[in-house]
């Protein structure tokens, strides 16, 4: 008779509870310990459970050393998507899930007016906004062009396009372009984009040192920090660049949706109206703070 494979017995339930308690103590968070354990065990069959326990310990060590939970797990939800996340790109935030709602509402309004179904996501990072729009409006033939200046972020966004297509089926056309803001677009694309959406960097360099080290020491500096605007508004330079480039590039009717920091709302409204927008509004997010500029060009 063959001896039982010691790994085939998996990790007894009591051992798993003990491991969970010990990870919770080292992380100071029962919720994060459960998260890491569930993730490590999710794809493991019984034979692999001991390896999953070792992997959970390794992940918890990285988290305890200060890495963001999202990078430790290597994937994170954004709306209906489960995106790969790592140090190549900014971690998509809940505020941006809400900004995507604002962008989808603008897109639906424009499509109802017969506008071309082309959207651009400027500064796409993991591809979060672009891929969410492609999945949620692909059935309406929407095409998305996603741009970034950072080739590493675009590499991750391309891996996410494959992952999302594998899980959500036909997601329509999502193309990537490298370059600074509007300059990434090809000449033929100018004038046929109805909606531009962007979550650009909007943290001022002066705030960088005071950021939570989980963010400051791991997420890409250039994804977060922007120079001041031309009027001196802290962290407003990138938003200003996106806004001032819209007028010559958007189709008519067209619209631009930009995520911003609450203190930038006034500068955003006056820059939008001074850059050819006929109607500009800043909407409050779900916590009641000014968060999304909607600038219409028609
Ligand atoms: C705050 S992150 C947002 C990423 C993603 N859209 C999201 O919401 O998760 C800003 C992104 O803008 C990109 N970026 C910064 N400066 C840029 C520029 N001049 N042109 C294009 N992209 C830029 C960064 O590489 C980064 O991916």
């Amino acid at each position: 008779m063959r001896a039982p494979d010691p790994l085939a017995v998996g990790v007894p339930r009591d051992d798993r509870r003990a491991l969970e308690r010990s990870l919770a103590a080292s992380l100071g968070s029962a919720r994060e310990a459960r998260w890491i354990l569930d993730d490590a065990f999710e794809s493991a069959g019984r034979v692999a459970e001991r390896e999953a326990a070792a992997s959970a310990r390794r992940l918890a060590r990285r988290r305890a050393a200060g890495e963001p939970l999202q990078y430790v797990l290597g994937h994170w939800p954004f709306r209906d998507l489960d995106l790969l996340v790592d140090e190549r790109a900014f971690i998509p935030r809940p505020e941006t899930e809400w900004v995507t709602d604002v962008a989808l509402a603008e897109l639906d309004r424009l499509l109802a007016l017969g506008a071309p179904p082309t959207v651009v996501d400027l500064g796409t990072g993991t591809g979060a906004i672009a891929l969410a729009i492609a999945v949620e409006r692909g059935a309406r033939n929407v095409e998305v062009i996603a741009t970034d200046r950072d080739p590493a972020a675009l590499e991750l966004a391309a891996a996410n396009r494959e992952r999302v297509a594998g899980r959500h089926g036909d997601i329509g056309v999502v193309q990537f372009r490298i370059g600074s803001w509007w300059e990434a677009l090809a000449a033929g694309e100018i004038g046929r984009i109805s909606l531009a959406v962007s979550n650009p960097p909007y943290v001022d360099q002066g705030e960088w040192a005071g950021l939570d080290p989980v963010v400051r020491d791991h997420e890409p500096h250039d994804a977060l920090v922007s120079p001041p605007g031309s009027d001196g508004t802290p962290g407003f330079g990138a938003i200003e660049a996106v806004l001032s480039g819209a007028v010559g590039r958007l189709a008519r009717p067209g619209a631009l949706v930009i995520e911003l920091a609450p203190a930038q709302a006034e500068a955003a409204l006056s820059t939008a109206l001074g850059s050819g927008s006929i109607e500009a509004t800043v909407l409050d997010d779900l916590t009641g703070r000014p968060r999304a500029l909607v600038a219409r060009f028609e």
Side-chain angles (χ1 to χ4, degrees):
M1 207 172 89
R2 274 176 51 193
D5 176 350
L7 292 183
V9 297
V11 173
R13 193 161 291 177
D14 284 351
D15 288 6
R16 186 164 160 175
R17 285 209 196 91
L19 176 59
E20 187 171 332
R21 276 196 300 275
S22 110
L23 297 185
S26 70
L27 293 172
S29 163
R31 195 161 148 261
E32 291 199 3
R34 169 85 45 85
W35 220 323
I36 285 173
L37 261 181
D38 286 351
D39 211 72
F41 275 81
E42 192 177 72
S43 55
R46 284 178 61 77
V47 173
E49 281 191 0
R50 279 179 193 281
E51 285 157 36
S55 152
R57 283 194 197 89
R58 275 194 303 275
L59 298 179
R61 269 197 294 277
R62 284 173 53 194
R63 175 72 189 116
E67 233 182 288
L69 179 64
Q70 293 89 336
Y71 288 160
V72 167
L73 296 175
H75 63 111
W76 197 250
F78 182 81
R79 296 177 68 88
D80 294 340
L81 313 179
D82 184 59
L83 296 173
L84 300 169
V85 290
D86 63 35
E87 297 210 355
R88 285 177 288 179
F90 178 85
I91 299 165
R93 303 294 205 273
E95 293 91 315
T96 311
E97 295 185 292
W98 171 81
V99 170
T100 305
D101 267 336
V102 174
L104 286 169
E106 262 320 280
L107 178 60
D108 292 343
R109 184 187 69 83
L110 290 162
L111 294 177
L113 294 172
T118 306
V119 175
V120 66
D121 171 18
L122 297 168
T124 197
T126 55
I129 302 174
L131 292 168
I133 291 177
V135 166
E136 294 181 46
R137 290 298 182 277
R140 299 188 65 183
N141 297 326
V142 166
E143 286 185 30
V144 187
I145 302 169
T147 77
D148 209 289
R149 184 176 60 178
D150 181 348
L154 284 179
E155 217 176 76
L156 182 59
N160 273 320
R161 178 176 57 188
E162 298 311 306
R163 179 178 175 90
V164 168
R167 292 173 175 212
H168 293 262
D170 182 10
I171 61 164
V173 181
V174 180
Q175 300 180 63
F176 296 111
R177 301 265 191 278
I178 190 154
S180 185
W181 305 132
W182 298 96
E183 287 162 23
L185 299 178
E189 287 158 354
I190 295 179
R192 72 174 176 88
I193 290 151
S194 300
L195 175 73
V197 53
S198 184
N199 173 22
Y202 54 74
V203 173
D204 191 65
Q205 181 60 43
E207 292 172 56
W208 177 249
L211 289 184
D212 184 337
V214 176
V215 174
R216 191 193 58 217
D217 298 347
H218 297 276
E219 295 194 64
H221 172 276
D222 292 353
L224 281 146
V225 173
S226 162
S230 55
D231 66 350
T233 303
F236 190 68
I239 295 177
E240 191 172 16
V242 170
L243 261 174
S244 58
V247 71
R249 270 98 168 196
L250 282 177
R252 300 292 188 279
L256 178 56
V257 173
I258 307 184
E259 183 172 324
L260 43 69
Q264 296 164 339
E266 242 176 70
L269 286 172
S270 62
T271 308
L273 295 171
S275 305
S277 166
I278 52 135
E279 186 189 340
T281 326
V282 172
L283 302 177
D284 289 352
D285 65 16
L286 302 175
T287 67
R289 286 146 55 90
R291 185 64 67 192
L293 171 78
V294 179
R296 293 179 176 166
F297 296 79
E298 16 214 318

